[in-house]
Amino acid sequence: MLYPMFAMVVLTFIIGFIALKTRFASVKNGEVKASYYRLMAGQEVPNAVTQSTRAFNNQFEVPVLFYVVCTLYISMGIENPYAIYTAWAFVVFRCIHAAIHLTYNHVLHRLSAYWLAILCVLALWLLLIV
């Protein structure tokens, strides 16, 4: 469970760096005033800024349930191969979700990846309880 958790941490940092790069670029090319980022309000911003910010924020929503359940598997000493496969599937679907969110952002495609990841987390919890 540790490796899928680490993969999610890496994904979070990658998306965070993309969001940061997008913000700096928006200020540098004059699309956004630096003061906007104080409160994240006061002007319209390019889609890339909103997309990367939301993609980063998404890493602190459902993945929290993933981190908790994985930590429980580790702390309770439970080694279940199905849970490990499911944890890796969660990571894959979250990577797909992030890639869609940061590129062409097709809502139905993104939603599909999101719900497949949710089902993985639900399965992890059910496997833990059973």
Side-chain angles (χ1 to χ4, degrees), residues 7-8 11 15 89-101 113:
M8 281 302 301
L11 176 63
I15 296 170
F90 175 82
V91 172
V92 168
F93 290 129
R94 290 303 299 189
C95 288
I96 293 168
H97 177 267
I100 293 168
H101 204 168

Side-chain angles (χ1 to χ4, degrees), residues 43-65:
Q43 77 176 85
E44 291 292 317
V45 296
N47 286 343
V49 171
T50 302
Q51 279 179 253
S52 63
T53 298
R54 289 188 179 159
F56 183 66
N57 291 344
N58 280 180
Q59 301 311 307
F60 300 97
E61 294 170 357
V62 172
V64 170
L65 298 173

Side-chain angles (χ1 to χ4, degrees), residues 67-85:
Y67 292 127
V68 170
V69 75
C70 287
T71 301
L72 287 171
Y73 274 96
I74 293 168
S75 67
M76 296 170 76
I78 299 171
E79 295 185 22
N80 181 331
Y82 297 112
I84 292 172
Y85 297 137

Side-chain angles (χ1 to χ4, degrees), residues 27-39:
V27 172
K28 184 178 178 182
N29 66 23
E31 291 178 303
V32 179
K33 294 179 184 177
S35 62
Y36 166 81
Y37 292 107
R38 286 188 193 139
L39 298 175

